Amino acid sequence: MSENSPFKVFIGYDSREDIAYQVARRSLLRQSGPEVTVHPIRQPALRELGLYTRPKDVTATTEFSLTRFLTPYLAAQQSGWTLFTDCDFLFTTDIRGVLADLDPAKAIYVVQHEYDPSHDIKMDGKKQTRYPRKNWSSFMLFNNAHPDVKALTPDLVNSATPAFLHRFEWIADQSQIGALDLDWNFLEGEYPKPAKTPRVIHFTNGGPWFAEWSDCDYADLWLAEEAAYLATPEAQAA
């Protein structure tokens, strides 16, 4: 990524949670400015383009459960870094800060969570699943120059098992998975609330757009961002 190139961020889009995407996008751009571009990953559009051909999975938690791994392909960059995040995020700092002090030998950077989910049910009644490296893939910083990242083609994403993708088995040397600080993907409700507001808040169990999660930690910050979004001409024209 050259000095003048924008930092591309891809956010998973789920038609059932449009407001979550809109708030995540607004908070990210408001904090980061014009040098960052945000792109939704919409499964129907990828199907229409022939880039995503897997059978529809009615058990998937989100519409972007696997399409997230198309991020480097969609970014179409031969160098630099590209970020993917889930839509149930709130950004409280300039996202470009995540680019500091990265090792160019790493294929990817993630927050390497080690936890056992505290809830059996999440979001709008969906069953919580437990698997190795859970939530590592909810915030992925891809090194576009790395050969294993370049190999994340539509053919691979459409044929590999979900476990192969989410557990990063496509990275040949597992030491090339870099570790980010916890507050780049802070799991609300899974960790004790810190004294300082995390840089990136992840409402992984359900956020304030669901009535039953309206009193979760940082709900006030999310609701303030939602109110600001709903006041924009863009939202009022929707």
Side-chain angles (χ1 to χ4, degrees), residues 71-142:
T71 291
Y73 183 87
L74 296 172
Q77 293 179 201
Q78 296 302 308
S79 62
W81 301 83
T82 302
L83 179 66
F84 167 84
T85 81
D86 283 7
C87 65
D88 51 352
F89 277 63
L90 185 71
F91 300 86
T92 69
T93 193
D94 187 337
I95 194 60
R96 291 172 297 175
V98 79
L99 298 171
D101 303 319
L102 300 178
D103 180 354
K106 301 293 187 184
I108 197 169
Y109 275 87
V110 298
V111 175
Q112 298 183 7
H113 299 288
E114 294 290 343
Y115 77 105
D116 189 39
S118 57
H119 299 275
D120 292 326
I121 303 296
K122 62 181 293 188
M123 297 188 187
D124 50 349
K126 296 184 177 68
K127 182 177 175 57
Q128 182 74 262
T129 57
R130 289 168 167 80
Y131 53 85
R133 297 183 171 179
K134 183 174 178 63
N135 261 313
W136 286 28
S137 61
S138 60
F139 185 101
M140 299 182 285
L141 187 60
F142 293 95

Side-chain angles (χ1 to χ4, degrees), residues 6-72:
F7 178 36
K8 295 180 181 179
V9 179
F10 289 77
I11 299 179
Y13 183 87
D14 193 307
S15 58
R16 299 163 294 187
E17 296 183 84
D18 176 77
I19 191 61
Y21 167 81
Q22 300 297 348
V23 171
R25 175 181 180 273
R26 175 183 162 81
S27 67
L28 189 151
L29 290 175
R30 185 174 65 80
Q31 295 286 345
S32 304
E35 293 81 11
V36 175
T37 60
V38 174
H39 311 270
I41 292 187
R42 299 176 186 264
Q43 187 183 130
L46 296 174
R47 288 190 180 280
E48 187 175 339
L49 292 169
L51 298 178
Y52 190 69
T53 58
R54 299 181 77 111
K56 289 190 177 181
D57 182 359
V58 295
T59 66
T61 303
T62 67
E63 294 173 8
F64 52 85
S65 290
L66 299 180
T67 56
R68 71 187 67 211
F69 295 101
L70 290 171
T71 291

Side-chain angles (χ1 to χ4, degrees), residues 115-183:
Y115 77 105
D116 189 39
S118 57
H119 299 275
D120 292 326
I121 303 296
K122 62 181 293 188
M123 297 188 187
D124 50 349
K126 296 184 177 68
K127 182 177 175 57
Q128 182 74 262
T129 57
R130 289 168 167 80
Y131 53 85
R133 297 183 171 179
K134 183 174 178 63
N135 261 313
W136 286 28
S137 61
S138 60
F139 185 101
M140 299 182 285
L141 187 60
F142 293 95
N143 179 359
N144 297 300
H146 196 281
D148 291 343
V149 172
K150 290 180 183 292
L152 278 177
T153 62
D155 284 346
L156 178 61
V157 173
N158 284 308
S159 61
T161 65
F164 180 86
L165 294 169
H166 281 284
R167 297 177 190 178
F168 302 95
E169 294 174 11
W170 45 272
I171 299 176
D173 181 351
Q174 294 288 286
S175 71
Q176 292 178 2
I177 302 175
L180 294 170
D181 291 342
L182 174 63
D183 75 341

Side-chain angles (χ1 to χ4, degrees), residues 212-235:
E212 59 269 35
W213 296 99
S214 60
D215 61 349
C216 63
D217 288 342
Y218 309 111
D220 57 333
L221 299 181
W222 190 93
L223 291 169
E225 198 74 50
E226 179 195 35
Y229 163 71
L230 292 175
T232 63
E234 174 190 1

